[in-house]
Coordinates of all heavy atoms in Angstrom, one line a residue:
H1189 N -5.0 -7.1 7.8 CA -3.8 -6.5 8.2 C -4.0 -5.1 8.9 O -3.4 -4.8 9.9 CB -2.9 -6.3 6.9 CG -1.4 -6.1 7.2 ND1 -0.5 -6.0 6.2 CD2 -0.7 -6.0 8.3 CE1 0.7 -5.8 6.7 NE2 0.6 -5.8 8.0
H1193 N -4.5 -6.7 12.7 CA -3.1 -6.6 13.1 C -2.8 -5.2 13.6 O -2.3 -5.1 14.7 CB -2.1 -7.1 12.0 CG -2.2 -8.5 11.7 ND1 -1.5 -9.5 12.4 CD2 -2.9 -9.2 10.8 CE1 -1.8 -10.7 12.0 NE2 -2.6 -10.5 10.9
Y1197 N -1.9 -3.7 17.5 CA -0.7 -3.0 18.0 C -1.2 -1.7 18.7 O -0.6 -1.4 19.8 CB 0.2 -2.6 16.8 CG 0.8 -3.8 16.1 CD1 0.6 -4.0 14.7 CD2 1.5 -4.8 16.8 CE1 1.1 -5.1 14.0 CE2 2.0 -5.9 16.1 CZ 1.8 -6.0 14.7 OH 2.3 -7.1 14.1
H1239 N 3.3 0.4 10.6 CA 2.1 0.2 9.7 C 1.5 1.6 9.3 O 1.0 1.7 8.2 CB 1.1 -0.7 10.4 CG 1.5 -2.1 10.5 ND1 2.3 -2.6 11.5 CD2 1.3 -3.2 9.7 CE1 2.6 -3.9 11.3 NE2 2.0 -4.2 10.2
W1288 N 11.1 -6.0 8.7 CA 10.8 -5.0 7.7 C 12.1 -4.7 6.9 O 13.2 -4.9 7.4 CB 10.4 -3.7 8.4 CG 9.0 -3.8 9.1 CD1 8.7 -4.5 10.2 CD2 7.8 -3.2 8.6 NE1 7.3 -4.4 10.4 CE2 6.8 -3.6 9.5 CE3 7.5 -2.4 7.5 CZ2 5.5 -3.1 9.3 CZ3 6.2 -1.9 7.3 CH2 5.2 -2.3 8.2
Q1306 N 9.1 -5.7 15.0 CA 8.5 -4.4 14.7 C 9.5 -3.3 15.0 O 9.1 -2.1 15.2 CB 7.2 -4.2 15.4 CG 6.1 -5.1 15.0 CD 5.6 -5.0 13.6 OE1 6.1 -4.1 12.9 NE2 4.7 -5.8 13.2
D1325 N 6.8 -4.3 4.9 CA 6.4 -5.4 5.8 C 6.7 -6.7 5.2 O 6.0 -7.1 4.2 CB 4.9 -5.2 6.2 CG 4.5 -6.0 7.4 OD1 5.2 -7.0 7.7 OD2 3.4 -5.7 8.0
W1327 N 6.5 -9.6 7.3 CA 5.8 -10.6 8.1 C 4.9 -11.4 7.2 O 4.3 -10.9 6.2 CB 5.0 -9.9 9.1 CG 5.7 -9.3 10.3 CD1 6.7 -8.4 10.3 CD2 5.4 -9.6 11.7 NE1 7.1 -8.0 11.6 CE2 6.3 -8.8 12.5 CE3 4.5 -10.4 12.4 CZ2 6.4 -8.8 13.9 CZ3 4.6 -10.4 13.8 CH2 5.5 -9.6 14.5
H1329 N 2.0 -12.3 7.7 CA 0.6 -11.8 7.6 C 0.4 -10.8 6.5 O -0.7 -10.5 6.2 CB 0.2 -11.3 9.0 CG 0.9 -10.0 9.5 ND1 1.3 -9.9 10.7 CD2 1.1 -8.9 8.8 CE1 1.8 -8.6 10.9 NE2 1.7 -8.0 9.7
A1330 N 1.5 -10.2 6.0 CA 1.4 -9.2 5.0 C 1.2 -9.8 3.6 O 0.8 -9.1 2.7 CB 2.7 -8.4 4.9
Ligands
MN3_1194 MN1 2.2 -6.1 9.4

Side-chain angles (χ1 to χ4, degrees):
H1189 201 175
H1193 290 277
Y1197 297 126
H1239 289 84
W1288 291 72
Q1306 295 295 357
D1325 190 342
W1327 283 56
H1329 69 225

